[in-house]
Amino acid sequence: MLDWGVDQVQQRNHDLYQQQQQQQGCRKGPWTPEEDKLLSEYVTSNGEGRWSSVAKCAGLNRSGKSCRLRWVNYLRPGLKRGQITPQEEGIILELHSLWGNKWSTIARYLPGRTDNEIKNYWRTHYKKKEKSFSKQEKVKRSRKQLDLKPQSQQQPQQQNQSSQFVSEDHKKLDNEQNTFSYQTSVFFTDQFHMPQVVAATSSDHSMMDEGNLWGSLWSLDDHDPHHFGGCSEQRTASNVSEKFNGCGIDAPFCGSWDYSYNGFNTRL
DNA sequence: AATTTGAGCAACCGCAACAGT
DNA sequence: AACTGTTGCGGTTGCTCAAAT
């Protein structure tokens, strides 16, 4: 009786998979210009979908999956190339704080950018910071646990981790490249609570202070009512919060920090 | 000049949801 | 209802290239 370990089983499965792929003769790895040409010509004239038949009909020795991925991430018309702009970065940060790793959902609010691109960008620029932040936060929390205050004196814990570290990154951008700054607004207009994202640049944010930022963020009711506007239905921050709580969404962004007047700007 | 390290990116993999039969 | 094929998504891997040593 064979007594295979997990590693051996995995290796065996892997080998079988490789064998299968070889038998099927599917090409893997980087796409050649010729393959790109065949695929884009075929999809342009026949439309997207039915990717497994696309591979055959276009004369490509690729899996349908591979064809779809190549088209979606590289060949599809209207794709943006080049660096993520500060505005786009702001949108990514805010939407990620809202939804987490829902890359395809986030990508819908960045025309011309793919989920893969956004995912890669996030991993490259923020994953490490997130980890280091989590460590810092653990230390903070363990310290807090030792520092037992009466309940009434403790501030409500409303901010989530990812949101906090977003503001860290905004600050870092501030310090490292004070040549630009940005304002990003996420606001909610429809019955499905889908955010509309507006990004705009501004210049002066020297007064940026994290305490103020988060104080403003999480106590929207205190704000000047004239900041609550911008869509067909005028709403207050509190009834929007109720709306989110009602559908189980946890602590979303409902506005933005406006560096130009150093205040929180909600557009609801 | 050679080697190492890390960032950036394209592509693959496994899984889940969905549609068709 | 069960099965099969397809599609879409998120996580991961591996390659390339430039900067650092």
Side-chain angles (χ1 to χ4, degrees), chain A residues 9-10 22 34 38 40-41 56 58 115 118 134 138 141 148 156 181 187 241 252-253:
Chain A
V9 172
Q10 283 179 349
Q22 279 169 11
E34 290 76 24
L38 284 171
S40 53
E41 277 175 3
K56 289 176 199 163
D115 54 353
I118 294 166
S134 299
K138 274 182 185 174
R141 283 181 182 172
L148 294 168
S181 66
F187 58 100
S241 298
F253 271 91

Side-chain angles (χ1 to χ4, degrees), chain A residues 198-209:
Chain A
V198 168
T201 55
S202 63
S203 54
D204 181 15
H205 51 281
S206 56
M207 299 297 286
M208 173 89 175
D209 171 78

Side-chain angles (χ1 to χ4, degrees), chain A residues 28 43 45 47 49 54 57 72 82 106 118 122 141 146 160 163 170 182 190 204 216 223 228-229 233 240:
Chain A
K28 285 199 208 173
V43 177
S45 55
V54 165
C57 300
V72 167
I106 294 170
I118 294 166
W122 177 267
R141 283 181 182 172
L146 291 171
N160 63 28
S163 296
H170 280 224
Y182 53 87
D190 65 33
D204 181 15
S216 305
H223 277 268
F228 297 90
E233 186 189 349
V240 170

Side-chain angles (χ1 to χ4, degrees), chain A residues 126-139:
Chain A
Y126 295 101
K127 195 65 187 173
K128 283 179 185 172
K129 293 173 192 173
E130 187 177 35
K131 273 182 186 170
S132 65
F133 175 81
S134 299
K135 280 181 188 172
Q136 287 171 11
E137 187 64 15
K138 274 182 185 174
V139 172

Side-chain angles (χ1 to χ4, degrees), chain A residues 44-265:
Chain A
T44 304
S45 55
N46 296 284
E48 294 182 36
R50 302 201 166 276
W51 292 106
S52 54
S53 60
V54 165
K56 289 176 199 163
C57 300
L60 288 159
N61 195 18
R62 294 271 184 176
S63 70
K65 257 183 153 181
S66 181
C67 293
R68 178 190 157 271
L69 205 67
R70 184 63 179 172
W71 173 257
V72 167
N73 287 336
Y74 197 82
L75 299 173
R76 192 172 53 181
L79 289 178
K80 276 188 193 170
R81 295 264 148 229
Q83 283 207 320
I84 301 280
T85 65
Q87 289 89 347
E88 288 173 322
E89 182 180 34
I91 293 166
I92 292 168
L93 291 175
E94 293 211 24
L95 293 183
H96 186 272
S97 76
L98 191 60
W99 290 322
N101 298 356
K102 298 287 177 189
W103 305 117
S104 61
T105 312
I106 294 170
R108 287 183 201 130
Y109 295 89
L110 293 162
R113 300 292 186 185
T114 67
D115 54 353
N116 208 31
E117 202 175 2
I118 294 166
K119 182 170 59 182
N120 284 334
Y121 181 78
W122 177 267
R123 289 189 67 83
T124 306
H125 291 84
Y126 295 101
K127 195 65 187 173
K128 283 179 185 172
K129 293 173 192 173
E130 187 177 35
K131 273 182 186 170
S132 65
F133 175 81
S134 299
K135 280 181 188 172
Q136 287 171 11
E137 187 64 15
K138 274 182 185 174
V139 172
K140 272 187 194 172
R141 283 181 182 172
S142 58
R143 280 181 185 159
K144 267 194 174 176
Q145 282 174 350
L146 291 171
D147 180 23
L148 294 168
K149 289 179 185 172
Q151 282 272 320
S152 57
Q153 287 178 26
Q154 288 176 13
Q155 292 293 317
Q157 287 287 313
Q158 285 181 308
Q159 48 205 21
N160 63 28
Q161 287 190 15
S162 55
S163 296
Q164 254 191 336
F165 102 85
V166 168
S167 78
E168 283 293 321
D169 284 313
H170 280 224
K171 272 170 65 178
K172 194 155 193 332
L173 277 168
D174 258 9
N175 297 332
E176 285 176 355
Q177 6 183 334
N178 53 11
T179 51
F180 72 83
S181 66
Y182 53 87
Q183 175 208 346
T184 307
S185 298
V186 180
F187 58 100
F188 299 84
T189 58
D190 65 33
Q191 58 178 325
F192 304 109
H193 323 296
M194 294 304 285
Q196 303 293 313
V197 182
V198 168
T201 55
S202 63
S203 54
D204 181 15
H205 51 281
S206 56
M207 299 297 286
M208 173 89 175
D209 171 78
E210 194 180 3
N212 285 341
L213 173 74
W214 293 106
S216 305
L217 249 177
W218 302 114
S219 53
L220 299 173
D221 282 335
D222 298 339
H223 277 268
D224 186 341
H226 81 266
H227 290 137
F228 297 90
C231 77
S232 56
E233 186 189 349
Q234 295 270 327
R235 298 173 191 154
T236 66
S238 57
N239 69 28
V240 170
S241 298
E242 279 171 22
K243 198 166 183 179
F244 276 100
N245 292 336
C247 57
I249 299 175
D250 188 31
F253 271 91
C254 296
S256 65
W257 186 259
D258 188 342
Y259 296 114
S260 63
Y261 72 100
N262 195 36
F264 189 73
N265 181 19

